[in-house]
Amino acid sequence: MNLSRLTTSIAVVLLATITSIAQTYRLPGQHTQQASDLLADQAKISHSISVKPTIDYLNYSEEEEPEGDIYEVGWNSNMVNCYSNVHVPQTVVIKDLDKFHMPCRGYVTSPYGWRPRFGRQHKGVDLKAHVGDTIYSAFDGRVRLTKYEDRGYGYYVVVRHTNDLETVYGHMSKFLCKPGEYVKAGTPIGLAGNTGRSTGPHLHFETRYMGYAINPSAIFDFANQTTHTDTYTFDKRTYTQARNYSPEANAEYAQRYTAQRTQATYSNKRSSNKGSGSKTETVRKGDSLSRLAARNHTTVAKICALNGIKANSKITPGQKIRVK
């Protein structure tokens, strides 16, 4: 066979192959079954191709996993702000704020804004928290960073969310998540603490859009433990401003939070005491506090402390008295 005939034969084979491929491949969304059959045939040729993950991708649902492009910019950066060289639009609407979970239940102890005492900008809000309190992801997203800064955030987590926000959680005592992990709103990501540059246990919480530290009180209504609206319009001129932030409402919530926390602590303590050998006696005829104390190998002072009574308080038959 001469060169001309060989070239013609190769061209015919290539044309037939291209035509065959064009007739075989279809858009996945319109011909999923045909795509599955094609992938199954290819799998017979090479075991290195995994069919199931590919079919799962063709049947991809946004409800299960966010699109990957929001994780590309600065994903491998070790900085909180990884958008320093990226163009940021003047305004943009951030959606899906209704799909949220409060990062913790605490009230605002230090708002967003300029701190004259330290001569710097406070780029988040500090929320009341006790060491060991659970910290939750505010929205669905993927953990971009878990890191420790001795003179800064302490142990902190950065989560990039499906609505293009990033949230920062600082001064924690422990991580409950890992970089790259996909979390839902309300997933525990850490425990509150007092690490880094901190003057007491709390959660430092930031909300950022492409590096711009938005005032969290523009998005969250901390006094009512919710978001202000279902969307937020980011604007380079107004992103530092709070929305309907009321110090009075925050103070009122602080009182409720403190009262609930105190009651919960008291209930837990009582439950713990009951489970560690607590004892209650029913007063008999002729009993006195001293007789109860002697019978139970304790003192009148301890009985009084357990029951909130005085040494000269009268007790009557049938009355319940804690003796341990």
Side-chain angles (χ1 to χ4, degrees):
M1 183 180 294
N2 58 33
L3 181 61
S4 177
R5 290 182 179 180
L6 179 59
T7 303
T8 301
S9 298
I10 293 173
V12 170
V13 172
L14 287 174
L15 180 60
T17 302
I18 293 172
T19 302
S20 175
I21 293 173
Q23 291 173 348
T24 303
Y25 279 93
R26 297 290 187 271
L27 292 175
Q30 299 173 348
H31 302 282
T32 303
Q33 185 58 50
Q34 293 183 9
S36 302
D37 295 340
L38 177 60
L39 289 168
D41 290 339
Q42 291 176 342
K44 295 175 183 178
I45 300 173
S46 172
H47 293 293
S48 64
I49 299 176
S50 180
V51 179
K52 187 178 183 304
T54 309
I55 297 302
D56 290 343
Y57 174 75
L58 296 178
N59 296 326
Y60 170 84
S61 170
E62 287 188 353
E63 293 298 315
E64 298 175 357
E65 187 80 3
E67 294 183 8
D69 58 356
I70 69 168
Y71 300 122
E72 293 175 2
V73 178
W75 184 254
N76 294 321
S77 171
N78 282 323
M79 304 296 292
V80 171
N81 180 8
C82 60
Y83 295 94
S84 57
N85 297 317
V86 179
H87 171 71
V88 181
Q90 180 66 35
T91 61
V92 66
V93 176
I94 298 172
K95 301 178 181 180
D96 296 330
L97 298 182
D98 57 322
K99 303 172 183 177
F100 78 99
H101 192 286
M102 299 303 292
C104 71
R105 293 184 56 251
Y107 55 91
V108 176
T109 59
S110 182
Y112 176 102
W114 179 254
R115 283 181 162 180
R117 177 184 173 187
F118 300 104
R120 59 183 173 85
Q121 187 79 2
H122 188 218
K123 295 183 179 179
V125 296
D126 290 344
L127 300 174
K128 179 63 178 178
H130 297 75
V131 174
D133 284 356
T134 304
I135 305 302
Y136 305 93
S137 177
F139 304 101
D140 294 357
R142 193 176 296 281
V143 178
R144 178 167 70 81
L145 190 62
T146 61
K147 192 176 178 183
Y148 177 75
E149 287 184 359
D150 183 52
R151 298 182 61 81
Y153 293 93
Y155 289 104
Y156 70 96
V157 172
V158 179
V159 182
R160 186 173 294 182
H161 301 290
T162 56
N163 56 12
D164 291 342
L165 281 175
E166 282 197 333
T167 49
V168 182
Y169 311 77
H171 306 303
M172 295 195 295
S173 60
K174 184 178 181 180
F175 298 135
L176 296 179
C177 62
K178 298 179 180 178
E181 181 180 346
Y182 182 71
V183 294
K184 303 289 286 185
T187 298
I189 58 174
L191 301 180
N194 186 31
T195 59
R197 192 177 182 182
S198 172
T199 57
H202 70 282
L203 172 68
H204 173 80
F205 178 64
E206 297 182 10
T207 49
R208 290 176 174 260
Y209 175 72
M210 298 188 75
Y212 281 76
I214 299 169
N215 189 333
S217 294
I219 296 175
F220 287 90
D221 179 357
F222 294 102
N224 292 298
Q225 296 287 282
T226 186
T227 53
H228 289 291
T229 52
D230 293 347
T231 63
Y232 168 73
T233 301
F234 167 80
D235 190 316
K236 288 183 178 178
R237 298 166 298 183
T238 60
Y239 72 93
T240 62
Q241 299 175 11
R243 182 166 20 172
N244 301 326
Y245 176 74
S246 168
E248 292 78 13
N250 183 65
E252 182 179 339
Y253 175 68
Q255 290 180 341
R256 295 200 308 272
Y257 171 86
T258 302
Q260 292 170 0
R261 184 87 189 197
T262 302
Q263 180 61 39
T265 301
Y266 175 72
S267 298
N268 289 338
K269 186 174 181 181
R270 287 195 63 184
S271 176
S272 176
N273 288 337
K274 287 181 180 179
S276 59
S278 63
K279 181 181 178 181
T280 300
E281 274 209 20
T282 301
V283 176
R284 308 169 192 170
K285 185 177 180 181
D287 272 347
S288 63
L289 290 177
S290 58
R291 183 171 292 183
L292 285 173
R295 191 161 65 228
N296 291 279
H297 308 288
T298 186
T299 65
V300 171
K302 288 182 179 179
I303 291 179
C304 290
L306 287 172
N307 295 274
I309 59 178
K310 296 181 180 180
N312 58 357
S313 296
K314 292 182 179 181
I315 57 174
T316 58
Q319 183 179 350
K320 301 289 185 181
I321 297 289
R322 275 195 64 192
V323 292
K324 288 187 179 178

